Each structure stands twice: as C-alpha cells, then as structure tokens.
Amino acid sequence: MTKWIRSAQILNKSYTCQHIQSKFLTLGGSVSQHFYYTLSYKSADPHLLTRSRLHTYLTVRFKWWSINSGTFFRGSDTIGPYISLWSSTSAGHNLIKACPSRHSHTQQQSQFSVVCNDECVQVSFADRTLKIPLIWLRDHCRSEKFYNHNTHQKIPQSGLSELDLSPAEICLVDNNSAVSITWKDGHVSKFNLDWLANNFYPGKLVSQSKRQYWNNEIVLEEGLQTVSYNDHMTYDDGLKKSLTNLVKFGFCIIEETPVSQSATQAVAERISYVLQTVFGQMWTFTSDASRSDTAYTTQYLGAHTDNTYLSSPAGVQVFHCLKHNGSGGETLLVDGFKALDILRSVDQAAFKVLASVVIPHEYKEQASGNHPGYHLYNLSPVVTLHPISGEYISLRFNPYDRAPLNTLSLHDMTTFYSAYDKLSKIISNKENELRIKLNPGTILLIDNWRVLHGRSSFDGTRVVCGCYLPRDEWISKARLMGLL
Ligand SMILES: C[N+](C)(C)CCCC[C@H](N)C(=O)O
Ligand SMILES: O=C(O)CCC(=O)C(=O)O
C-alpha cells in the first residue's frame, strides 16, 4: 500500500519553509536535503497566494516518495506552473500548491497541476479540477496496444477491475503538456492534458455554451437569423450558418427557396439523408383528414415535439408552406430548454419528476388504402439529461399523443400531473412563444429534441411539405463543423 507524503494546506496565508518542513515532519514525512520551496504567486485561483502577500520564500525542490516502498517516485518540480503534493494520512487530505523553482518554464503556460494517489490522478486546471480514476485512465489508454488510431476504436482490455492499477511512476512529459503513467505491468500510457480536459467528466458543457435559450423577447431582440437558399446550398459557410442557428436557437430559416418539394428536399439533404417514417420520406400535407392526425385538419395545434411514440424521435423537422390562400396557420415555436430552465427555477421537484418518470406515447392509425395501419408505442421520460453534466439532451412533450398512463403508482400520478401541468403552462405562456408565418419560399428547420412547434388554426387551402432528419446525422455534421 503506497502512502504519500502530504503537506500543509496553503491557502491565502504566508508560510516559511521551516513551517512547511515541520508540517511535513508532523505528518510523518521526511524532508530530503534538496527541500526548497517557492509559493505560487500567479494564478487564476483566488485561493492561491498573490505576490503582494509573499515576503521571503525559499525555493523548494521536492521529490515524491513512498514511505513504505522507499522508492523515489519522480513528480519532478517541472510540474506546471505550480507543484502539488499530497499523501493519505490520518490528518486527512491537505493539498499544497506551489510554483516551481525559478529554473522552470515561464508562468504563461496554462495553470495546472497533477497529483496522484493510489486511486486517482487529480489534474487541477485554472478553472476546474478533474479527479480521474486510475481505472478510467487505463481503460482510455491510447497506446497502439489498446487503441486502433486508424479505425478510432478501442482494443478492449479485459479484467481491468482485477488489475493493481497503482502506478509505478507518473510524471509530466512533452514540455509538461502530457502526463505519462508507467503501470506496474510495465505498460506506459500517455495522456495529453487538453485531451483529458475535453474527454473526462465533468466535461465541457459545449452545447450549453453554444446554445442560447430564448423566449419571445430574446429571440426578437437577437433578430431572426436567416440564410439564403443559395448560400445554404452553395457554400460551406452558408451551411455552417444554418447549422450554427440550429445549434444556437434550436431552429433555422432558409429564405428565397424555390417553392417545391424537391427544393425542400435539397435543402434538407444538404444536412443529412431524409428519414423514412410512417408518413414517407418527403411528405406534403393539407387539411384533408387523410391521416390519423390533427395536423391533417384546420385546427389549432399547441406547441409539441413530434415522434414521441418512437424510440428515437426525428432530430430535425422541416416545414415549407407551399400554398395558403386563407388566414391563420401561423407556426408557433417554443424553446423547450428555456421552458425547462424556467420550470427548474420555480419548482425543482417538478423538474426532477419530469426527468425521472417514464410515460407512454402512441400513434394509432387504422389500415386504409395504401396504409397498412399502425400502432407505434414508446415509453420514455419527458426530459432526458446528461447523467453527469446535467445538460439537457431531449424534451419529449406531446399532449396529443400521450397513451393511457400505466407507468406510475397512485402516489407518483398526482406529482406527475402537477409537474406536467406546470410545464404545459410555461410552454403555452405567450411570452415564451415565437409566431412565424411561413410563406412559400421560406423553409423552417426545427431541432425536434429541443424546440416545440405548433400552429394556429386556419381557413382556406393550406399545403405544407417537409420531412424529418435523423438526430445523429445533423449533430455529427454540426460537430464536424466545430459547432458542438
Ligand atoms: C409532419 N406530418 C404532418 C407529416 C406528420 C405529423 C405527425 C404528427 C404526430 N402527432 C407527431 O407528433 O409525430
Ligand atoms: O401545420 C403545421 O404548420 C404544423 C403541423 C404539425 O405540428 C406537425 O406536423 O407536427
């Protein structure tokens, strides 16, 4: 069992080297003759010491060593802009942060420190600290022995949980931009620190930082961002702007498009292939009651998301109004993630209910003509969150397509209806609703996992075409364009 020397916790106080050495001795450590010490004087971390508080400090060079095994464990003093060392003692966990001796690299480098004990490696950056379990690091080794860089696939290791994963050695390499771990079986794993920051949770909440939640006022203040058909179809920058809007607002508008289903298909296929669903690939609908759905009427449709009865709802819904010679028929849009933010702020318990209970949705249609008949049915939570970051992944909200509720206990039923009603009220609040009249030549693409859509009732002849795009495809396209 490796036990590490631990040092005094140094936070916004001034210490002399003697005090620290005595601290070491009381914690059962021993101090080598090379022991000199410089306190950190530059950091984004408000807890760390600032130059103004520093008086006379010796420079400390230290080596990590294990008391029991007696072997040197080189955590060299070139570790980042400051040095951290700790050990698990009865005194509990203390951590020292200090910048290296004057001989080390400049302070401009990103502020980080790397600390290891026998369970995890702690990487402290200026804005966050990641405690990364050693088993995770071994599992994510990117050496050619355990990872195929041509196929971007792992070469699986078995029995990780039975291995002794306390490292034989750990040190910073590649000009302190990577950490190298030598395992007891002799295998060496190297991890770029930026890669760790980007791939270990609590990870970067990229899409939340790239998303702008909106209500009516915010989105109109921002101004409706549109992209011309020509730009969308001709230039990658045009496509990138469309996808940027889709990521940021959860919808995007393409203008000056030819008024046809084929042009609508071309706009959609610039992003990904078109999904085949019970409504076909490209669909055109009007108020002829030809299908078993309210969309095929002139009635008002409250804001909802589509395909809640599918195990994976369409990622994007595309609408293009080809013709309307009457009144009404405005498209309603609501940012579902803004609505969830509002619910969470006013009633955290209700939010948690909708992120935990599972409810059924269905699509039922009798066989007729060239339709074989359908009964699509799916169980899912109203809200899906990332299990670690808490980031919103999807909102499934369609009061029209809810199937008989048979998934809740009597107690849970009351809390569910109360929570669902609260979310419904937020969604139907006009302050959260954007109304757009889709005229021929304007195509609307909606992130169906985030933004709800509906329409006001209408009269006259109204013909709308569109399609569904798969979630994974458009997200992949946005990721490849650096938008996520
Ligand atoms: C879009 N199109 C008119 C073809 C079909 C509409 C189906 C709507 C269905 N209630 C759902 O939420 O999925
Ligand atoms: O008719 C419209 O504009 C919208 C119809 C709708 O909400 C749907 O097809 O899901």
Side-chain angles (χ1 to χ4, degrees):
M1 166 65 175
T2 302
K3 197 170 162 229
W4 303 99
I5 292 297
R6 179 175 304 282
S7 60
Q9 177 88 22
I10 289 199
L11 290 177
N12 61 32
K13 286 182 186 163
S14 60
Y15 283 81
T16 61
C17 181
Q18 284 71 17
H19 179 95
I20 294 172
Q21 289 188 23
S22 65
K23 196 78 174 167
F24 263 102
L25 297 175
T26 53
L27 286 172
S30 63
V31 177
S32 73
Q33 67 281 13
H34 306 298
F35 198 93
Y36 59 95
Y37 182 75
T38 305
L39 276 173
S40 163
Y41 64 83
K42 176 183 181 295
S43 162
D45 179 344
H47 293 304
L48 282 187
L49 295 161
T50 58
R51 188 198 295 266
S52 60
R53 295 196 188 118
L54 297 186
H55 305 300
T56 52
Y57 287 89
L58 304 175
T59 302
V60 166
R61 183 187 301 277
F62 69 93
K63 291 188 185 307
W64 295 3
W65 62 93
S66 73
I67 292 177
N68 298 343
S69 65
T71 54
F72 270 125
F73 176 71
R74 283 185 297 284
S76 75
D77 67 359
T78 58
I79 278 191
Y82 38 74
I83 300 165
S84 301
L85 69 150
W86 60 337
S87 66
S88 49
T89 65
S90 56
H93 283 260
N94 288 311
L95 181 65
I96 197 167
K97 287 184 177 178
C99 65
S101 61
R102 288 184 294 283
H103 314 305
S104 65
H105 59 281
T106 62
Q107 297 298 320
Q108 275 65 43
Q109 202 169 23
S110 63
Q111 298 280 329
F112 58 75
S113 69
V114 177
V115 182
C116 175
N117 69 7
D118 45 11
E119 288 167 357
C120 71
V121 172
Q122 177 173 300
V123 185
S124 301
F125 297 87
D127 62 343
R128 76 180 92 161
T129 293
L130 300 181
K131 282 189 178 179
I132 309 173
L134 287 159
I135 193 167
W136 188 95
L137 288 164
R138 177 72 183 228
D139 177 39
H140 290 79
C141 176
R142 287 300 189 257
S143 67
E144 290 182 2
K145 183 177 180 182
F146 296 133
Y147 194 78
N148 182 329
H149 290 272
N150 297 319
T151 65
H152 308 291
Q153 288 179 296
K154 290 161 72 78
I155 299 165
Q157 304 175 57
S158 60
L160 279 184
S161 57
E162 282 108 45
L163 287 178
D164 173 2
L165 290 174
S166 54
E169 181 176 24
I170 182 171
C171 56
L172 278 178
V173 295
D174 296 353
N175 193 26
N176 304 307
S177 65
V179 59
S180 171
I181 299 176
T182 303
W183 305 95
K184 287 209 168 129
D185 61 2
H187 181 68
V188 179
S189 303
K190 187 165 79 171
F191 300 92
N192 178 281
L193 291 169
D194 286 339
W195 185 87
L196 288 177
N198 291 333
N199 287 280
F200 183 74
Y201 277 96
K204 49 177 186 166
L205 306 180
V206 174
S207 49
Q208 281 186 329
S209 65
K210 297 286 180 87
R211 287 182 181 144
Q212 180 176 345
Y213 299 164
W214 52 267
N215 57 22
N216 181 287
E217 181 185 357
I218 293 169
V219 74
L220 291 178
E221 255 177 25
E222 184 88 19
L224 284 185
Q225 315 283 320
T226 65
V227 178
S228 74
Y229 173 80
N230 185 55
D231 286 354
H232 176 84
M233 295 303 294
T234 312
Y235 309 110
D236 280 355
D237 279 353
L239 173 62
K240 187 170 184 177
K241 188 176 175 195
S242 300
L243 288 173
T244 299
N245 293 337
L246 200 50
V247 167
K248 185 173 178 182
F249 299 107
F251 69 94
C252 70
I253 297 170
I254 316 290
E255 290 190 315
E256 303 157 26
T257 64
V259 182
S260 67
Q261 181 172 294
S262 58
T264 309
Q265 180 168 355
V267 165
E269 288 178 342
R270 262 295 264 162
I271 295 174
S272 96
Y273 63 84
V274 169
L275 271 180
Q276 172 78 34
T277 68
V278 297
F279 304 104
Q281 277 188 313
M282 295 303 296
W283 28 256
T284 295
F285 66 97
T286 184
S287 52
D288 60 3
S290 60
R291 298 302 295 269
S292 170
D293 196 276
T294 313
Y296 295 75
T297 72
T298 61
Q299 293 167 33
Y300 164 81
L301 264 174
H304 63 279
T305 62
D306 272 22
N307 310 157
T308 46
Y309 43 80
L310 297 180
S311 54
S312 181
V316 172
Q317 176 144 22
V318 180
F319 285 117
H320 184 184
C321 181
L322 302 178
K323 175 183 175 185
H324 182 202
N325 59 12
S327 62
E330 288 181 307
T331 297
L332 322 175
L333 295 176
V334 176
D335 186 351
F337 289 178
K338 176 69 173 179
L340 290 176
D341 263 4
I342 295 169
L343 177 67
R344 183 156 55 178
S345 66
V346 299
D347 190 335
Q348 176 88 9
F351 174 82
K352 284 181 177 176
V353 165
L354 296 181
S356 56
V357 302
V358 167
I359 63 169
H361 291 87
E362 64 184 1
Y363 178 81
K364 296 170 80 172
E365 185 169 38
Q366 299 298 324
S368 67
N370 53 356
H371 299 301
Y374 303 97
H375 187 181
L376 301 167
Y377 185 91
N378 178 263
L379 295 176
S380 57
V382 174
V383 181
T384 303
L385 304 173
H386 187 288
I388 296 287
S389 65
E391 183 179 348
Y392 300 136
I393 292 177
S394 71
L395 170 63
R396 287 186 192 218
F397 183 88
N398 190 320
Y400 300 88
D401 291 347
R402 283 205 303 106
L405 190 57
N406 57 9
T407 54
L408 301 177
S409 67
L410 287 177
H411 169 268
D412 291 348
M413 204 169 284
T414 310
T415 49
F416 164 72
Y417 279 117
S418 167
Y420 199 80
D421 286 348
K422 285 172 181 171
L423 180 59
S424 301
K425 284 198 177 81
I426 293 167
I427 286 170
S428 55
N429 184 329
K430 297 304 177 203
E431 290 178 7
N432 298 319
E433 181 184 285
L434 174 67
R435 287 196 172 217
I436 302 176
K437 176 62 183 161
L438 287 185
N439 295 308
T442 297
I443 295 178
L444 172 67
L445 293 92
I446 303 166
D447 174 352
N448 185 52
W449 282 33
R450 167 186 169 186
V451 170
L452 303 102
H453 66 278
R455 60 133 195 260
S456 61
S457 61
F458 63 91
D459 57 35
T461 302
R462 180 175 182 266
V463 178
V464 177
C465 79
C467 61
Y468 293 119
L469 302 180
R471 159 78 174 192
D472 296 326
E473 293 295 314
W474 90 263
I475 291 289
S476 169
K477 194 89 172 185
R479 189 175 288 120
L480 289 176
M481 288 189 140
L483 301 176
L484 281 175

